[in-house]
Amino acid sequence: MTAPLGRRVAAEAIGTGLLVTVVVGSGIQATELSHDVGVQLLANSLATVFGLGVLITLLGPVSGAHFNPGVTLAAWATGRRTGEGPGLREVAAYVPAQVAGAIAGAVLADAMFGEPLVRFSTQHRSAEHLLLGEVVATGGLVLLLLGLERVGRAVLAPAVVASYIGAAYWFTSSTSFANPAVTIGRAFTDTFAGIAPGSVAPFIGAQLLGFVVGLTAVTVVYGRRDRAATATTAATATTAAAATAAATAATVVVAPHDEPELASP
Amino acid sequence: MTAPLGRRVAAEAIGTGLLVTVVVGSGIQATELSHDVGVQLLANSLATVFGLGVLITLLGPVSGAHFNPGVTLAAWATGRRTGEGPGLREVAAYVPAQVAGAIAGAVLADAMFGEPLVRFSTQHRSAEHLLLGEVVATGGLVLLLLGLERVGRAVLAPAVVASYIGAAYWFTSSTSFANPAVTIGRAFTDTFAGIAPGSVAPFIGAQLLGFVVGLTAVTVVYGRRDRAATATTAATATTAAAATAAATAATVVVAPHDEPELASP
Amino acid sequence: MTAPLGRRVAAEAIGTGLLVTVVVGSGIQATELSHDVGVQLLANSLATVFGLGVLITLLGPVSGAHFNPGVTLAAWATGRRTGEGPGLREVAAYVPAQVAGAIAGAVLADAMFGEPLVRFSTQHRSAEHLLLGEVVATGGLVLLLLGLERVGRAVLAPAVVASYIGAAYWFTSSTSFANPAVTIGRAFTDTFAGIAPGSVAPFIGAQLLGFVVGLTAVTVVYGRRDRAATATTAATATTAAAATAAATAATVVVAPHDEPELASP
Amino acid sequence: MTAPLGRRVAAEAIGTGLLVTVVVGSGIQATELSHDVGVQLLANSLATVFGLGVLITLLGPVSGAHFNPGVTLAAWATGRRTGEGPGLREVAAYVPAQVAGAIAGAVLADAMFGEPLVRFSTQHRSAEHLLLGEVVATGGLVLLLLGLERVGRAVLAPAVVASYIGAAYWFTSSTSFANPAVTIGRAFTDTFAGIAPGSVAPFIGAQLLGFVVGLTAVTVVYGRRDRAATATTAATATTAAAATAAATAATVVVAPHDEPELASP
């Protein structure tokens, strides 16, 4: 019942794009309406919580709702061992779709608010402590995504991922980008949520480090997944990749007793 | 177990009316209490999230909780093919009830705050980028309503629709009217949430365009619904109309094991 | 498995009291921290949403979590016809407990913030449009409580009632007291959430009118409950009173498959 | 299927640490962005609601997600009678892990925001009415944790505990520390959420008194747990400790029909 690759790629592009539209658009609206930067970030973060939860709910069953090259790559890497997860062909299709979607999402937000469609951000975000913030933000996201699977609660992903981002906007100094595609997209707008192109590479570097930190934390808290256990739980979710996919596929707060498959194969 | 048309029409009128009362009333309260427009829109949007979720929960099982002529018309159009969805007689009853309810809702809000009962808005909302915002807002709503059905999660409609509107208040430049009846109702009040009568027609035009955009996005992401699939899932929700009805009918986060039918036929 | 009357009365007193403590206490904190009245009401309303949901979840299974003499009286009145609902002895115990609890809750809030334990409010709330706001607020609450039962969703009461109050803080001009006991309690504190003693009687009068409006709206939207239907659904919830009790008794978002009875009889 | 002690202790240290990181970090971000203390506390409290709910969801199934020496001690004390709950060896491992985690969490927050890693707070919080606030905050938390178990709703702990703290930030004058380990951790940062070392002991004293008040309230509202009832419900949750563990272990909003055990023993 897996959707054809074309639709899955479209879902990743549209999902990542609309995520950036929500982040950038709500940032513009907030700065137009308030002079208090705290109020601006409150609006920006709450709009993202609401929007991200909706997007994972809607698109998880189609593509897994990665919206994030790091998540797609982790799914591929972990999946190789067990023969599950996306193949290289899917990775090669997902990642550019995510990046292109993210850029288009920023342009759409600019267009809706009468801003220049593309004007690179002048907001430098390169202080070392911001990079530490990005490591923590990404590490926490990985701990969350894999942890949800390990405790059998992948079904809660939309609410839990959205809540996590809502907290991380505030408790990390970087306001938690935690996503290379979104970081690139946010370079294309010179508004509240923008990031200067020169800060993109350091941010992505910090995010990659955060992935490693997160994977380490998963092992510390949940232990190594042994083969027997993997076999036992394979039907539910064997790998990080499958876990994420399952999480979003099963993203309803409650699985209807006779949940229909996607109507169109 | 369908409610008689009279009660369904009453539910649409009362539901659309109270939705406008929530939007307009919270806008007035917010402008009376704060000088920071960001704080005003935060209050306005959060009150709408809370109120809309409650209204869909309560009235969905009676009328489908459309509260929106566009949704009613889409339900009729999609339903013609399959013989499901509302007939013309129901459309002809729902739409005027929604519009009349919306106007009454604005008047009630004005009355509660000691404003003139009817004073047409002087707030022009006609910049082109605002209309683009309205296209995006409505397209997203359609993608959401039909997508929820296609992935078998119509049961989550109250929380997901309310969350979507909470995000769209902020990420669209128009603050997301996305509803012709509500747009008309909001012309009758010269307060925070008002819209000048001259801006109503362009807004409704943009909303209609948004419906087309949304239907296209549904096909791109979820594919065409083929006949076999339709037959298979017919019991759950075959058309946009039925989907919305089912969504709201089944709107409990979890269906109690012995959920009683509506007590009165 | 009904709790003995003593514990039920204690639950009503403590629940109503802590509800007032949340409303009054968060109002004091908000006015101490911000000069923007919009921000104050945002904090006040969000704290009440969080607190009220918790209280209904915790105390519903013990006493029904009325916290409101109007709800208790409606339960008694509706229950007389069907032989269900509380008897006069219970009403006579609940109502004073609610009022005493409400007063004690205001005193506790004052004590926590170093305010005089009792100082009657000087905040007059008697403009006619405020009273209309109170009619609407109470009518909506009644439509909500009885409607949830009629559509078989009483299980969602904690989230839905809390959300409703969160919206009604903003969309009604009175900020939605909707509760005679809470109104009396709030007269005992001269802080943000207070109400001058002279405004209490008009507010309670408006609330009683709101109860009638709400009952009428229930009939318009859900129809009259006929005897057969009542018999059919009696096991779940036959009357307004039982409905409220059932709603809160079943207040978990999902009923665990083997939900234990209260451990102590 | 209990996790080995090492992983459980790691979960308590990481969970308590990240909780403090969320509280302290969001407090720093808020004070950097807004001059309105009300807006600062709104951001601080909402970030904590989101973050705490995520942490209980993720770590409850591993360690019980106590994050609080008071909860751990109460679990030990109550468990002694019934032979359930943690033993002294576990208490001796949990409590120092919680305290060390809390301190590390404050240091991490300081590091992310370029603050000195350790600078003791200069914010004195010793007024008597603040201590009363802390008694109420802790008493309410105990009533909540044990009450959830007594009504068979431990499954809702993540949402309900997070909501409670969201309310208690506002309705108590102390902003609700309610946790000795977190109180100690917050002494290590001279930022918004800090507490001067001299105020730590009085706060912890007030929290201990709050535990007693909470236990008394539980008996008043829910009655004494008799032996038979205990035996009956033992499988679900017999003691405060087990209750908390069960609550978090079962923390999904809905238990998937075939919820896998933790993949790694």
Side-chain angles (χ1 to χ4, degrees), chain D residues 4-81:
Chain D
L5 185 59
R7 289 211 279 112
R8 281 185 284 146
V9 169
E12 285 296 309
I14 290 176
T16 314
L18 289 180
L19 173 57
V20 173
T21 302
V22 170
V23 170
V24 172
S26 63
I28 298 175
Q29 178 95 276
T31 47
E32 285 185 355
L33 300 187
S34 179
H35 294 294
D36 182 324
V37 188
V39 171
Q40 292 169 5
L41 196 68
L42 258 184
N44 194 204
S45 58
L46 288 175
T48 304
V49 168
F50 288 135
L52 181 54
V54 169
L55 289 171
I56 299 177
T57 303
L58 279 181
L59 301 177
V62 177
S63 69
H66 296 185
F67 308 160
N68 189 332
V71 171
T72 299
L73 282 166
W76 166 76
T78 338
R80 276 194 311 169
R81 282 187 234 148

Side-chain angles (χ1 to χ4, degrees), chain D residues 195-212:
Chain D
I195 178 170
S199 302
V200 168
F203 256 54
I204 292 179
Q207 290 159 6
L208 294 178
L209 184 53
F211 269 93
V212 176

